[in-house]
Amino acid sequence: MLLAINIGNSNIDLGLYQDLSLIHHWCVSMDPNKTVDEYGLLFTQLLASEAVEVDQVSAIILSSVVPNIMDTMPIVCKKFFKQSPMIVGAGVKTGLNIRYDDPKEVGADRIVNAVAVKENYGTPAIVMDMGTAFTFDVIDVKGDYVGGLISPGIKITADSLVASTSKLPKIEIKHPRHLIGKNTVQAMQSGLVNGYIGMVDYIIKAIVKEMDLSIDQTNLVATGNYAELIANLSDYPIEINPLLTLEGLCLIYQRNIA
């Protein structure tokens, strides 16, 4: 079995593959202060909840956008699974030509997502990760990764709004029934959610124009905690795939053992 682990700023996604088919997946909170033993026990308990023994895991692939935890996670893999993980980064084959000024600057999650979209949806494509940050990554008609955009995520914006004002309350991030709020909570929810829908739609339109494409030609794929909330309300046909990063990790693992 292959254990795929993606470490984001807010969550850790884990996927267990058998014969390259996903059989179990989990999402847990990311805490950079957790120790090797705490993470090891957590992961083994997740496996045990599905009656999977630790020694059934024969390989691990790992991607992370959190540098601090990369001192911890390889030790977790070696101590609890007796495996040295394959880490997405320099020297790992992705099958993706990255046309960035410095390819090393591109986050591992963005590369992994682009690999999954190129393989499973085709190109050209816009890959959107709607999580702690909102990222937009562009794959051209030749299948090359050409760059993208990064903006603060909706929760970061909501937290900043509350922290920077005296009277605005913390709110649940959800789409209100009406655009025009009748109270402060509704007004904040509408401004946040509709503002991000507008941002997403504008950026899609602008990317398509800059790349000299049409919407009909371009595959639009979204993942991340807020993909269901935002992408479902877009004017564009965005495919939502919550398991996109795990799919990309599995593909990269295959390409490096072939």
mmCIF file of all heavy atoms in Angstrom, residues 184-202:
data_model
loop_
_atom_site.group_PDB
_atom_site.id
_atom_site.type_symbol
_atom_site.label_atom_id
_atom_site.label_comp_id
_atom_site.label_asym_id
_atom_site.label_seq_id
_atom_site.Cartn_x
_atom_site.Cartn_y
_atom_site.Cartn_z
ATOM 1 N N THR A 184 -25.384 43.031 10.266
ATOM 2 C CA THR A 184 -23.927 43.054 10.103
ATOM 3 C C THR A 184 -23.377 41.695 9.689
ATOM 4 O O THR A 184 -22.510 41.608 8.815
ATOM 5 C CB THR A 184 -23.261 43.515 11.413
ATOM 6 O OG1 THR A 184 -23.719 44.837 11.713
ATOM 7 C CG2 THR A 184 -21.744 43.527 11.280
ATOM 8 N N VAL A 185 -23.873 40.635 10.298
ATOM 9 C CA VAL A 185 -23.379 39.289 9.961
ATOM 10 C C VAL A 185 -23.667 38.971 8.501
ATOM 11 O O VAL A 185 -22.792 38.508 7.760
ATOM 12 C CB VAL A 185 -23.993 38.224 10.890
ATOM 13 C CG1 VAL A 185 -23.684 36.816 10.376
ATOM 14 C CG2 VAL A 185 -23.458 38.388 12.304
ATOM 15 N N GLN A 186 -24.903 39.216 8.051
ATOM 16 C CA GLN A 186 -25.253 38.960 6.650
ATOM 17 C C GLN A 186 -24.418 39.813 5.706
ATOM 18 O O GLN A 186 -23.971 39.352 4.654
ATOM 19 C CB GLN A 186 -26.739 39.232 6.416
ATOM 20 C CG GLN A 186 -27.665 38.249 7.075
ATOM 21 C CD GLN A 186 -29.126 38.619 6.877
ATOM 22 O OE1 GLN A 186 -29.456 39.620 6.212
ATOM 23 N NE2 GLN A 186 -30.019 37.825 7.446
ATOM 24 N N ALA A 187 -24.214 41.072 6.090
ATOM 25 C CA ALA A 187 -23.429 41.968 5.233
ATOM 26 C C ALA A 187 -21.984 41.476 5.106
ATOM 27 O O ALA A 187 -21.392 41.517 4.016
ATOM 28 C CB ALA A 187 -23.458 43.386 5.807
ATOM 29 N N MET A 188 -21.395 41.003 6.212
ATOM 30 C CA MET A 188 -20.033 40.477 6.160
ATOM 31 C C MET A 188 -19.969 39.191 5.339
ATOM 32 O O MET A 188 -19.066 39.003 4.523
ATOM 33 C CB MET A 188 -19.520 40.230 7.576
ATOM 34 C CG MET A 188 -19.277 41.503 8.378
ATOM 35 S SD MET A 188 -18.847 41.140 10.101
ATOM 36 C CE MET A 188 -17.247 40.340 9.890
ATOM 37 N N GLN A 189 -20.922 38.301 5.551
ATOM 38 C CA GLN A 189 -20.944 37.051 4.783
ATOM 39 C C GLN A 189 -21.078 37.329 3.293
ATOM 40 O O GLN A 189 -20.378 36.731 2.463
ATOM 41 C CB GLN A 189 -22.097 36.169 5.262
ATOM 42 C CG GLN A 189 -21.870 35.560 6.632
ATOM 43 C CD GLN A 189 -23.106 34.871 7.184
ATOM 44 O OE1 GLN A 189 -24.246 35.211 6.821
ATOM 45 N NE2 GLN A 189 -22.902 33.899 8.064
ATOM 46 N N SER A 190 -21.942 38.264 2.944
ATOM 47 C CA SER A 190 -22.153 38.587 1.540
ATOM 48 C C SER A 190 -20.911 39.221 0.935
ATOM 49 O O SER A 190 -20.492 38.865 -0.174
ATOM 50 C CB SER A 190 -23.347 39.531 1.385
ATOM 51 O OG SER A 190 -23.607 39.767 0.016
ATOM 52 N N GLY A 191 -20.313 40.149 1.668
ATOM 53 C CA GLY A 191 -19.113 40.797 1.145
ATOM 54 C C GLY A 191 -17.978 39.819 0.928
ATOM 55 O O GLY A 191 -17.281 39.870 -0.092
ATOM 56 N N LEU A 192 -17.775 38.923 1.885
ATOM 57 C CA LEU A 192 -16.697 37.947 1.770
ATOM 58 C C LEU A 192 -16.960 36.941 0.651
ATOM 59 O O LEU A 192 -16.163 36.785 -0.280
ATOM 60 C CB LEU A 192 -16.516 37.210 3.097
ATOM 61 C CG LEU A 192 -15.809 37.982 4.212
ATOM 62 C CD1 LEU A 192 -16.033 37.310 5.553
ATOM 63 C CD2 LEU A 192 -14.317 38.096 3.910
ATOM 64 N N VAL A 193 -18.082 36.249 0.738
ATOM 65 C CA VAL A 193 -18.337 35.150 -0.205
ATOM 66 C C VAL A 193 -18.549 35.678 -1.618
ATOM 67 O O VAL A 193 -17.924 35.196 -2.578
ATOM 68 C CB VAL A 193 -19.541 34.305 0.259
ATOM 69 C CG1 VAL A 193 -19.857 33.230 -0.786
ATOM 70 C CG2 VAL A 193 -19.236 33.643 1.604
ATOM 71 N N ASN A 194 -19.390 36.692 -1.770
ATOM 72 C CA ASN A 194 -19.627 37.223 -3.114
ATOM 73 C C ASN A 194 -18.382 37.920 -3.664
ATOM 74 O O ASN A 194 -18.129 37.902 -4.866
ATOM 75 C CB ASN A 194 -20.833 38.168 -3.110
ATOM 76 C CG ASN A 194 -22.142 37.422 -2.936
ATOM 77 O OD1 ASN A 194 -22.470 36.554 -3.739
ATOM 78 N ND2 ASN A 194 -22.882 37.732 -1.887
ATOM 79 N N GLY A 195 -17.606 38.531 -2.762
ATOM 80 C CA GLY A 195 -16.353 39.139 -3.203
ATOM 81 C C GLY A 195 -15.394 38.111 -3.783
ATOM 82 O O GLY A 195 -14.745 38.356 -4.799
ATOM 83 N N TYR A 196 -15.302 36.944 -3.138
ATOM 84 C CA TYR A 196 -14.410 35.902 -3.642
ATOM 85 C C TYR A 196 -14.946 35.239 -4.907
ATOM 86 O O TYR A 196 -14.182 34.882 -5.791
ATOM 87 C CB TYR A 196 -14.125 34.866 -2.553
ATOM 88 C CG TYR A 196 -12.917 35.265 -1.729
ATOM 89 C CD1 TYR A 196 -13.048 36.190 -0.690
ATOM 90 C CD2 TYR A 196 -11.658 34.774 -2.011
ATOM 91 C CE1 TYR A 196 -11.957 36.597 0.044
ATOM 92 C CE2 TYR A 196 -10.556 35.172 -1.278
ATOM 93 C CZ TYR A 196 -10.703 36.086 -0.254
ATOM 94 O OH TYR A 196 -9.599 36.493 0.457
ATOM 95 N N ILE A 197 -16.268 35.105 -5.004
ATOM 96 C CA ILE A 197 -16.841 34.595 -6.258
ATOM 97 C C ILE A 197 -16.491 35.543 -7.402
ATOM 98 O O ILE A 197 -16.070 35.121 -8.489
ATOM 99 C CB ILE A 197 -18.374 34.452 -6.146
ATOM 100 C CG1 ILE A 197 -18.734 33.392 -5.108
ATOM 101 C CG2 ILE A 197 -18.988 34.088 -7.497
ATOM 102 C CD1 ILE A 197 -20.194 33.431 -4.696
ATOM 103 N N GLY A 198 -16.645 36.832 -7.155
ATOM 104 C CA GLY A 198 -16.302 37.827 -8.179
ATOM 105 C C GLY A 198 -14.828 37.789 -8.531
ATOM 106 O O GLY A 198 -14.460 37.900 -9.714
ATOM 107 N N MET A 199 -13.969 37.639 -7.529
ATOM 108 C CA MET A 199 -12.529 37.555 -7.800
ATOM 109 C C MET A 199 -12.209 36.352 -8.666
ATOM 110 O O MET A 199 -11.469 36.446 -9.652
ATOM 111 C CB MET A 199 -11.754 37.462 -6.483
ATOM 112 C CG MET A 199 -10.250 37.332 -6.673
ATOM 113 S SD MET A 199 -9.349 36.972 -5.136
ATOM 114 C CE MET A 199 -9.743 35.224 -4.925
ATOM 115 N N VAL A 200 -12.762 35.195 -8.304
ATOM 116 C CA VAL A 200 -12.498 33.967 -9.063
ATOM 117 C C VAL A 200 -12.952 34.127 -10.508
ATOM 118 O O VAL A 200 -12.217 33.810 -11.459
ATOM 119 C CB VAL A 200 -13.199 32.763 -8.396
ATOM 120 C CG1 VAL A 200 -13.212 31.556 -9.327
ATOM 121 C CG2 VAL A 200 -12.497 32.406 -7.083
ATOM 122 N N ASP A 201 -14.157 34.643 -10.706
ATOM 123 C CA ASP A 201 -14.676 34.778 -12.068
ATOM 124 C C ASP A 201 -13.865 35.791 -12.873
ATOM 125 O O ASP A 201 -13.587 35.577 -14.065
ATOM 126 C CB ASP A 201 -16.154 35.176 -12.037
ATOM 127 C CG ASP A 201 -17.066 34.001 -11.721
ATOM 128 O OD1 ASP A 201 -16.537 32.888 -11.503
ATOM 129 O OD2 ASP A 201 -18.295 34.188 -11.682
ATOM 130 N N TYR A 202 -13.460 36.885 -12.245
ATOM 131 C CA TYR A 202 -12.650 37.871 -12.957
ATOM 132 C C TYR A 202 -11.304 37.279 -13.349
ATOM 133 O O TYR A 202 -10.833 37.467 -14.485
ATOM 134 C CB TYR A 202 -12.433 39.123 -12.115
ATOM 135 C CG TYR A 202 -11.432 40.058 -12.768
ATOM 136 C CD1 TYR A 202 -11.823 40.903 -13.811
ATOM 137 C CD2 TYR A 202 -10.094 40.043 -12.390
ATOM 138 C CE1 TYR A 202 -10.904 41.716 -14.442
ATOM 139 C CE2 TYR A 202 -9.169 40.855 -13.012
ATOM 140 C CZ TYR A 202 -9.570 41.692 -14.044
ATOM 141 O OH TYR A 202 -8.645 42.487 -14.675
#
